[in-house]
Amino acid sequence: MTAENKVTSAKCQITADSDAVIAEIEIAATPDRVFQAIVDREQALQWAGGEAFEVTHWELEPRVGGKWRLVSRERQGKGAGQTFDHHGEVVQINPPHLLEYTWLANWHPDPNHRTTVRWELTTTKTGTILKVTHSGLAPLNVAKDYAQGWPGLVEQIKNFVEK
């Protein structure tokens, strides 16, 4: 993950079976605006990094079968300089309401185990509810790690889109 471990306005929960992390936040912008911030390379490069992590590579082909990849590097602490490579393939897309892709990560206990990230954007009276569900985590025992990362990441998207 490339998010900071900070207090956020995002709601986050781990499912009872520890297989999924669900992060949710309301953003004062249209689903189209939020969706573009997620899929557009130039915008993602602006919100994805932070004090702890630097994004060194980002790409997403917004179509079924399209590839995506995010590479980040830890900036500080005992892991300074460590590189995190996340990648996969788009399995569902319905702009501006849904994006789902597989997720593989070089730092997982089993780097070949596919998990799934699903971005759902729902229109509200005041903007958009952004809900991210990262599932398939139980075999890796990493739900707690992702529960610390996803809330900060959706908060970064909110801050970027609302600025």
Side-chain angles (χ1 to χ4, degrees), residues 37-145:
I38 295 166
V39 301
D40 180 77
R41 179 180 188 277
E42 295 308 314
Q43 293 182 61
L45 287 171
Q46 292 179 58
W47 59 257
E51 290 177 22
F53 292 92
E54 166 191 24
V55 174
T56 59
H57 181 85
W58 191 92
E59 65 183 274
L60 176 95
E61 297 173 278
R63 61 176 177 78
V64 172
K67 305 292 184 210
W68 78 273
R69 185 170 185 208
L70 165 70
V71 180
S72 61
R73 182 179 21 227
E74 196 163 350
R75 293 183 190 261
Q76 55 196 1
K78 64 181 180 180
Q82 184 176 355
T83 298
F84 299 91
D85 189 347
H86 318 72
H87 64 278
E89 183 176 301
V90 175
V91 292
Q92 284 191 69
I93 187 166
N94 181 18
H97 299 288
L98 175 68
L99 173 64
E100 183 176 317
Y101 48 74
T102 58
W103 175 289
L104 295 116
N106 70 330
W107 54 271
H108 280 169
D110 176 359
N112 296 313
H113 177 81
R114 284 184 182 355
T115 61
T116 302
V117 173
R118 181 179 179 90
W119 301 77
E120 297 172 86
L121 295 84
T122 305
T123 304
T124 67
K125 290 181 182 178
T126 58
T128 303
I129 296 288
L130 173 60
K131 177 180 175 182
V132 179
T133 304
H134 192 164
S135 60
L137 303 174
L140 300 170
N141 196 27
V142 294
K144 288 183 181 177
D145 297 330

Side-chain angles (χ1 to χ4, degrees), residues 11-36:
K11 298 175 189 171
C12 186
Q13 68 179 28
I14 298 173
T15 58
D17 59 3
S18 293
D19 192 60
V21 170
I22 302 164
E24 193 171 319
I25 197 163
E26 185 156 8
I27 301 174
T30 65
D32 187 59
R33 173 69 189 100
V34 177
F35 193 84
Q36 287 306 309

